[in-house]
């Protein structure tokens, strides 16, 4: 993995929000990771864990509070002029809500054509129209859809339009921000399969943000698990599912239902349940952020925040007792 080109390098990234009366919400709190060319990094965690904020800060939609994000070696937050314009073409985002992210007053043709116009990708009307048709077909729609409005489509079709809009400018890297969570379960797999197919065809690199660990497994090469704005585990998809180490990851995996009542009933006896409230991300105290819900917490967990440690085999865990927990 180390020999591959790093597309995005995130170093000690922090994104804090002032929420009044001197309080600070630490949405992203000192996160570091790399994303390699052609891979999909899944980013998972419960709602409010900072994964969407992290994705948006990584591509410069939010200013950072501290740290650095490098896209192909260049600081995302200081890009100016032509470099910034080029970056906005190479890096695209697909949003969670296909209903809210597309302008209802525009036709599909206008929505997809906007990027072509901004980046001057077509030499004339015919080429522009052909590009729109090509990208519609690439995402499983057809040219008859071009002159319709967004309200005429289903949720899955709208997400396909959102994907076509992102792809038409020929990006290299895409942040997929919970692109399937607003869709019916039956449609989710279709969109995931489409994203996998497009990645192969166009050599794309993805940051796939999701709260659903089961779907992340199918699309991700590696998975990063976030808890209250910090990275608690990062490893390959296979390692994470075969040998989860952090107690939080173990609990998340344990909560994935198995579609067989007998196996599920048997498994229910051994399920690791997440006890306690999710602590507030506002004015967090020192120590491990997971300690109030962790069955293995010790006094040191109250005192010191665990660092992300390399436990071998491309596996990184932020827990003072990661060596012991691997044997649990
Ligand atoms: Fe649990 Fe302590 Fe590890 Fe945090 S550092 S996950 S509280 S054992």
């Amino acid at each position: 993995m180390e020999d591959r080109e790093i597309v995005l390098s995130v170093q000690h990234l922090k994104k804090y929000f002032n929420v009044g009366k001197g309080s600070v919400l630490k949405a992203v709190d000192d996160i570091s990771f790399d994303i390699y060319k052609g891979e999909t990094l899944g980013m998972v965690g419960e709602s409010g864990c900072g994964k969407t904020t992290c994705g948006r800060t990584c591509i410069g939609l939010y200013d950072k509070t501290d740290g650095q994000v490098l896209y192909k070696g260049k600081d995302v937050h200081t890009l100016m002029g032509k470099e910034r314009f080029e970056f906005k073409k190479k890096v695209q985002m697909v949003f969670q809500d296909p209903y809210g992210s597309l302008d209802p007053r525009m036709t599909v043709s206008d929505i997809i054509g906007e990027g072509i116009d901004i980046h001057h990708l077509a030499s004339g009307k015919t080429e522009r129209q052909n590009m729109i048709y090509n990208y519609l077909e690439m995402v499983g729609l057809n040219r008859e859809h071009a002159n319709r409005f967004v309200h005429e489509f289903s949720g899955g079709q709208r997400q396909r339009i959102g994907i076509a809009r992102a792809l038409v400018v020929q990006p290299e890297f895409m942040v997929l921000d919970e692109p399937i969570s607003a869709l019916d379960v039956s449609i989710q797999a279709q969109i995931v399969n489409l994203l996998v197919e497009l990645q192969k065809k166009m050599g794309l690199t993805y940051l796939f943000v999701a709260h659903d660990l089961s779907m992340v497994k199918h699309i991700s090469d590696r998975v990063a698990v976030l808890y209250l704005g910090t990275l608690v585990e990062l490893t390959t998809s296979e390692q994470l599912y075969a040998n989860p180490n952090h107690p939080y990851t173990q609990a998340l995996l344990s909560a994935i239902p198995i579609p067989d009542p007998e196996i599920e009933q048997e498994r229910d006896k051994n399920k690791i349940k997440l006890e306690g409230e999710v602590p507030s991300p506002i004015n967090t105290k020192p120590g491990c952020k997971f300690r109030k819900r962790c069955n293995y917490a010790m006094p040191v967990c109250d005192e010191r925040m665990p660092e992300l440690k390399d436990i071998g085999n491309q596996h990184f865990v932020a827990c003072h007792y990661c060596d012991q927990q691997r044997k649990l």
Side-chain angles (χ1 to χ4, degrees):
M1 185 66 78
E2 281 73 18
D3 295 338
R4 288 168 64 184
E5 181 190 343
I6 294 172
V7 173
L8 194 86
S9 182
V10 178
Q11 300 166 3
H12 302 288
L13 184 66
K14 294 181 184 176
K15 177 62 190 171
Y16 297 170
F17 296 96
N18 290 319
V19 288
K21 296 183 181 166
S23 296
V24 175
L25 187 155
K26 297 182 175 178
V28 177
D29 196 13
D30 200 352
I31 287 181
S32 300
F33 60 88
D34 292 329
I35 303 184
Y36 298 92
K37 187 173 167 52
E39 81 161 335
T40 297
L41 178 71
M43 183 170 275
V44 294
E46 289 164 297
S47 124
C49 72
K51 53 193 188 300
T52 290
T53 305
C54 183
R56 290 179 179 206
T57 312
C58 282
I59 59 168
L61 287 182
Y62 290 156
D63 287 337
K64 64 183 181 178
T65 301
D66 202 0
Q68 205 172 35
V69 182
L70 302 175
Y71 180 76
K72 296 192 162 181
K74 294 198 171 151
D75 188 334
V76 165
H77 293 96
T78 59
L79 290 174
M80 301 283 278
K82 206 173 164 224
E83 278 188 335
R84 180 155 182 76
F85 186 71
E86 192 58 20
F87 172 77
K88 284 168 97 174
K89 175 175 176 290
K90 293 294 177 200
V91 174
Q92 292 291 311
M93 186 154 182
V94 173
F95 296 88
Q96 175 181 359
D97 179 9
Y99 301 89
S101 64
L102 303 170
D103 190 332
R105 294 161 302 179
M106 292 168 81
T107 63
V108 169
S109 186
D110 290 338
I111 288 169
I112 299 175
E114 207 173 27
I116 301 175
D117 300 340
I118 290 170
H119 294 283
H120 311 294
L121 299 174
S123 57
K125 276 188 180 171
T126 310
E127 191 181 351
R128 182 185 189 272
Q129 200 58 55
N130 286 337
M131 281 180 79
I132 291 166
Y133 290 155
N134 281 344
Y135 280 89
L136 276 175
E137 282 164 9
M138 206 183 275
V139 298
L141 297 171
N142 59 57
R143 52 182 62 200
E144 282 75 45
H145 290 129
N147 291 322
R148 296 196 197 160
F149 289 89
V150 190
H151 70 266
E152 298 175 64
F153 295 92
S154 67
Q157 285 174 319
R158 288 179 204 191
Q159 198 53 293
R160 287 173 192 269
I161 297 165
I163 294 168
R165 174 179 63 178
L167 288 180
V168 78
V169 296
Q170 294 144 26
E172 297 169 342
F173 175 65
M174 286 171 59
V175 174
L176 308 165
D177 183 15
E178 303 218 37
I180 53 169
S181 54
L183 305 177
D184 285 353
V185 176
S186 57
I187 307 297
Q188 290 182 351
Q190 290 176 18
I191 297 294
V192 165
N193 291 340
L194 173 67
L195 290 166
V196 171
E197 193 186 303
L198 292 168
Q199 181 177 40
K200 280 188 199 144
K201 200 183 281 180
M202 299 177 73
L204 295 161
T205 304
Y206 290 154
L207 173 61
F208 188 95
V209 175
H211 64 264
D212 181 347
L213 261 171
S214 57
M215 201 51 89
V216 162
K217 183 181 182 183
H218 294 294
I219 192 166
S220 306
D221 298 291
R222 292 184 302 142
V223 179
V225 181
L226 258 59
Y227 186 76
L228 277 189
T230 54
L231 193 50
V232 296
E233 188 153 8
L234 171 65
T235 187
T236 60
S237 207
E238 292 78 24
Q239 272 285 335
L240 192 91
Y241 289 88
N243 185 23
N245 185 295
H246 196 282
Y248 178 58
T249 313
Q250 291 173 352
L252 284 183
L253 284 171
S254 172
I256 298 176
I258 292 176
D260 180 324
E262 275 180 35
I263 300 175
E264 184 61 19
Q265 205 175 10
E266 187 53 35
R267 210 178 64 127
D268 218 32
K269 294 176 197 159
N270 304 317
K271 250 186 191 170
I272 305 163
K273 296 200 173 65
L274 274 175
E275 305 285 353
E277 296 280 304
V278 183
S280 165
I282 298 170
N283 299 336
T284 48
K285 297 195 169 58
C288 175
K289 291 183 179 180
F290 189 60
R291 66 190 183 280
K292 297 286 181 217
R293 303 170 86 190
C294 181
N295 293 335
Y296 313 103
M298 300 292 276
V300 67
C301 308
D302 276 330
E303 292 154 19
R304 278 193 295 118
M305 168 97 92
E307 287 178 8
L308 200 66
K309 280 185 227 157
D310 183 352
I311 61 168
N313 220 0
Q314 295 185 60
H315 200 155
F316 300 85
V317 182
C319 171
H320 293 306
Y321 298 97
C322 53
D323 293 345
Q324 286 97 315
Q325 272 159 16
R326 292 180 74 195
K327 300 181 192 96
L328 286 170

